[in-house]
Amino acid sequence: MEMAVQEALKAQGMTWTNPLVGAVLVKDNQVLATGYHHQFGREHAEVNTLSHLVNPKQAQGATLYVTLEPCSHYGKQPPCCKKVAEAGIKKVVIGQVDPHQIVAGKGIEYLESHGVQTEIIGGTENLNVAYNFFYHQKRPFVTLKYAMSIDGKINAAGKTRTIVTGDAAQVDVQKLRLHNQAILIGANTLRIDNPLLTVRIKNLPQPPIRIVLTKDANQLDFTSRMFKTHGEIWLLSRTELTQKVAENVHCYTAANWTPSKIVQLLADHEIQSLLVEGGSNVQSQFVAANLADEIVTYIAPLVLGGTALPAVFGQALAEKSDYQLLDVKRFNQDVRIRVRRKECLQE
């Protein structure tokens, strides 16, 4: 199963709203073939594995290890459970039952009704944290990310961007973006930082949707770097966008865009993960709404002083919010701390 997990990880960032899945076919204590779901819309891991056999008959009587329950429905690909049964595979060892209601045990039922033994051993849930969370909680998994000085400030006083962390930490941020389907910032962050919000470490077929929260979309600077790149951009505005902009820019309006309304909009579009990158007030709104499921903080060994902008500042908390430490990692002189809400640890 560990081999299957390593296969699945090869497709990080490539499967969009599909889960990462890997598989290994074994017979007489020999690995016959390995495979994984390479990209959204392409063949699933089970079929990809079978395609690597020298002779299809080799699958007869073999055992398939797969990180997620084989699917049982027709979508962009035919049902994998049917392909597995037709191949003559004797047993399927499964890392996790698929939480998607369209599968949710139906693949296992099909296999068993067609003479294929199944065994659920667990242990692969961390491959698809956001996918699992989405189908359990019916909303996207929200990650808050910010870089701050040792005295808790994310930007020096003034209206120019402060580079807080070094190159190694910034590359790690790219990896974080790779695992999210949408990235959110406020209009002030767009104006001061002029970010691209792209994933520059891998060429993705479906890059994260970039979202800007603003009072008035017409006041945004559409000459900003972000608007010169491909990929979907959503503007969450209180007013309609009256000017013509690029076709990849979409404006959604509401009288007041609260974190709850934002995650509901994403859920309606089946977006499973959101990375909130800024700014400080937007961060505080998500924390106050109890919608920051994971917080990733990069801490740099510098001091910006008392008039600099604090992290997660603006919206008061009704009560303290408890998180569980996931890990601490060093990136040269910077340190990354990851915490997750205790309620989310079981997802």
Side-chain angles (χ1 to χ4, degrees):
M1 189 60 74
E2 181 57 35
M3 286 181 63
V5 168
Q6 293 306 312
E7 286 292 308
L9 289 171
K10 293 177 181 179
Q12 290 180 92
M14 302 296 288
T15 60
W16 190 228
T17 54
N18 283 356
L20 294 171
V21 185
V24 177
L25 191 65
V26 178
K27 188 175 182 181
D28 298 328
N29 295 319
Q30 297 293 321
V31 173
L32 300 179
T34 63
Y36 63 100
H37 178 39
H38 284 236
Q39 186 175 317
F40 182 76
R42 291 181 58 181
E43 73 272 13
H44 292 178
E46 299 90 333
V47 176
N48 181 252
T49 301
L50 289 170
S51 72
H52 293 151
L53 291 173
V54 176
N55 186 335
K57 291 184 179 180
Q58 288 179 290
Q60 295 177 6
T63 297
L64 180 70
Y65 289 80
V66 62
T67 58
L68 188 69
E69 174 187 5
C71 67
S72 56
H73 63 288
Y74 284 90
K76 293 183 181 298
Q77 297 292 330
C80 290
C81 59
K82 186 172 184 290
K83 294 285 187 181
V84 169
E86 289 174 347
I89 290 172
K90 179 181 179 180
K91 182 178 180 179
V92 178
V93 181
I94 299 166
Q96 181 200 336
V97 175
D98 195 331
H100 196 313
Q101 63 273 12
I102 205 168
V103 185
K106 298 182 183 69
I108 293 171
E109 290 177 9
Y110 182 96
L111 290 170
E112 292 182 341
S113 68
H114 286 76
V116 182
Q117 301 174 35
T118 63
E119 181 183 358
I120 305 166
I121 63 173
T124 60
E125 293 80 5
N126 284 335
L127 264 177
N128 298 289
V129 171
Y131 177 83
N132 292 330
F133 183 90
F134 182 84
Y135 288 107
H136 285 136
Q137 301 297 328
K138 311 304 179 187
R139 71 163 178 85
F141 184 86
V142 179
T143 301
L144 209 68
K145 169 252 137 183
Y146 54 88
M148 69 179 190
S149 61
I150 198 70
D151 59 335
K153 307 301 170 59
I154 63 172
N155 208 81
K159 296 184 177 182
T160 58
R161 181 187 180 192
T162 303
I163 303 296
V164 176
T165 55
D167 291 344
Q170 291 176 36
V171 169
D172 192 65
V173 171
Q174 293 290 312
K175 295 177 181 178
L176 185 59
R177 289 178 180 175
L178 185 70
H179 291 90
N180 283 272
Q181 294 160 10
I183 303 171
L184 173 72
I185 60 170
N188 199 45
T189 299
L190 177 66
R191 182 169 53 254
I192 294 175
D193 291 1
N194 192 17
L196 288 168
L197 300 183
T198 54
V199 179
R200 296 182 285 280
I201 59 172
K202 196 170 188 178
N203 186 23
L204 303 181
Q206 180 68 59
I209 299 167
R210 290 160 296 169
I211 305 173
V212 180
L213 181 62
T214 179
K215 292 181 179 179
D216 184 358
N218 296 287
Q219 298 300 314
L220 297 175
D221 181 3
F222 291 102
T223 66
S224 299
R225 297 193 304 161
M226 187 175 71
F227 295 107
K228 298 176 182 177
T229 58
H230 79 284
E232 277 194 65
I233 297 173
W234 292 4
L235 309 178
L236 307 185
S237 174
R238 296 181 185 178
T239 58
E240 294 281 354
L241 182 63
T242 57
Q243 56 185 298
K244 187 175 181 180
V245 294
E247 292 184 359
N248 64 324
V249 179
H250 309 280
C251 185
Y252 297 90
T253 59
N256 184 27
W257 280 107
T258 63
S260 294
K261 286 183 180 178
I262 293 170
V263 297
Q264 186 58 57
L265 175 67
L266 290 168
D268 291 343
H269 286 79
E270 299 186 340
I271 300 302
Q272 301 161 6
S273 54
L274 171 66
L275 178 63
V276 179
E277 290 210 17
S280 184
N281 185 53
V282 175
Q283 296 164 359
S284 70
Q285 289 181 47
F286 274 86
V287 171
N290 205 28
L291 286 172
D293 303 306
E294 183 168 314
I295 300 178
V296 181
T297 306
Y298 297 87
I299 304 174
L302 73 158
V303 174
L304 293 177
T307 61
L309 179 66
V312 197
F313 181 77
Q315 185 76 37
L317 282 176
E319 57 183 25
K320 72 171 186 175
S321 185
D322 288 331
Y323 286 79
Q324 184 74 38
L325 178 67
L326 292 181
D327 59 56
V328 179
K329 187 173 182 179
R330 181 172 176 173
F331 295 90
N332 295 330
Q333 293 300 303
D334 305 318
V335 175
R336 184 195 72 192
I337 300 176
R338 287 199 312 139
V339 298
R340 188 175 294 170
R341 285 196 304 123
K342 290 183 178 180
E343 307 93 288
C344 300
L345 291 174
Q346 302 303 316
E347 298 300 336

